[in-house]
Amino acid sequence: MLRGSTVRVIRFADNFNLSDLVKGKESSGPALDVTVDRFVVTGGTITLEDRALSEPRTWRSESIEIEAKNLSTRRADGTVMARSVTAGAPVSLQMQKFRLYPIHFEAVVTTTGLDLGPARLYLPADAPFVLERGRATSTLAVVLDARDGLRANITGEMEDVALTRPGERDPVLVVPKATVQLSDFLYRDDKVAVGRFELAGSANVLEPGAGARDGTTCRPSARASLTSLGRSRCRAGSTSRARCRAAGRSGSSAPSARHPRRAS
């Protein structure tokens, strides 16, 4: 059992301070048999100092609790239960059918009320819009197998998402609520396939209020309804070349603020 442990990770422009440890050394010999009956971490903390940003930022994952059982290369019935508070948002992890080598596990990761605002630090400096605020709750279900690759399904909900123009305070686009679903994602043999992607919600396009030259107030100038954006299937032989097919429908409208309506 580990109590009150702290791990400090530093991200540089081209690597991490732990890169040498993670990479390890290649070995041509057979893999060693390893079994861990029980492993517990309580009150743990991980800090990530991102020095690759123009303005370095430190992220914290606190109150880490982990309980792992039956982790082994000989069997595939290992389990892991974990929870933490990461960047202020509760995160939980459940893993089952865990085998260390060849790697295999099924996992579900749930994040509640994650603040999306800090994501703007990772957007291009010349982006036409800035992510001002927003919160997201998501559930990620993953199956990883050494032979069959990575399969994933994601469901999520975003609330109060606002975009602004660089240097401005008032939002130009507000999404009160939207749901996202990604189904049947598959990564195997350097190929990617996406079974279905759906986005549903509504968005308000805003403009400065009448008579407010300083832009201190805004009014809706359009409302759009985001219904099913369809399904897409993508296969890539490499990260630089991809072939995609998409089918579905999308809807948007740009009526006046006086008579907003929905479009599907």
Side-chain angles (χ1 to χ4, degrees):
M1 176 181 291
L2 295 179
R3 296 181 181 273
S5 61
T6 298
V7 176
R8 184 188 182 197
V9 181
I10 302 176
R11 176 180 178 245
F12 302 102
D14 55 352
N15 59 14
F16 291 81
N17 63 324
L18 303 178
S19 296
D20 292 340
L21 295 177
V22 174
K23 183 183 298 183
K25 296 182 179 180
E26 296 184 0
S27 175
S28 58
L32 297 177
D33 285 329
V34 176
T35 298
V36 179
D37 291 332
R38 187 169 182 262
F39 176 75
V40 176
V41 174
T42 182
T45 299
I46 297 177
T47 63
L48 170 60
E49 184 179 345
D50 197 341
R51 297 183 183 178
L53 296 173
S54 57
E55 298 181 6
R57 181 75 177 262
T58 298
W59 310 99
R60 294 177 63 88
S61 183
E62 303 172 295
S63 302
I64 297 175
E65 304 288 333
I66 302 173
E67 183 175 8
K69 297 179 179 179
N70 300 328
L71 303 185
S72 177
T73 57
R74 292 174 172 264
R75 49 198 290 184
D77 62 347
T79 61
V80 178
M81 302 287 290
R83 66 179 184 272
S84 69
V85 177
T86 301
V91 179
S92 66
L93 167 67
Q94 299 181 27
M95 304 178 74
Q96 61 181 358
K97 299 181 181 179
F98 201 136
R99 183 180 61 224
L100 291 175
Y101 184 86
I103 187 68
H104 177 90
F105 63 76
E106 299 177 4
V108 177
V109 182
T110 302
T111 304
T112 305
L114 179 66
D115 184 7
L116 298 177
R120 61 179 173 269
L121 299 174
Y122 296 89
L123 297 177
D126 57 351
F129 298 103
V130 176
L131 180 58
E132 180 63 24
R133 66 175 187 268
R135 290 198 172 274
T137 296
S138 65
T139 298
L140 167 65
V142 174
V143 178
L144 177 64
D145 185 86
R147 181 182 61 184
D148 297 333
L150 174 70
R151 297 179 180 272
N153 293 284
I154 304 173
T155 58
E157 182 177 281
M158 298 181 293
E159 295 182 333
D160 193 29
V161 178
L163 301 181
T164 63
R165 291 189 177 92
E168 296 185 6
R169 183 180 63 181
D170 293 320
V172 295
L173 179 70
V174 174
V175 180
K177 188 174 183 179
T179 58
V180 179
Q181 182 171 355
L182 175 66
S183 303
D184 300 326
F185 175 90
L186 172 63
Y187 178 76
R188 181 174 59 193
D189 299 330
D190 294 328
K191 295 181 180 180
V192 176
V194 179
R196 186 174 183 85
F197 174 79
E198 294 184 0
L199 172 66
S202 62
N204 294 326
V205 182
L206 307 178
E207 65 180 7
R213 296 182 180 180
D214 59 357
T216 54
T217 60
C218 293
R219 66 182 183 185
S221 63
R223 178 174 297 167
S225 176
L226 307 174
T227 56
S228 173
L229 293 184
R231 65 180 65 187
S232 62
R233 293 181 174 86
C234 304
R235 298 187 181 276
S238 67
T239 56
S240 60
R241 297 184 59 187
R243 293 181 301 168
C244 299
R245 292 186 301 168
R249 59 192 177 90
S250 62
S252 62
S253 61
S256 65
R258 185 173 300 176
H259 299 291
R261 61 184 179 84
R262 292 181 177 270
S264 60

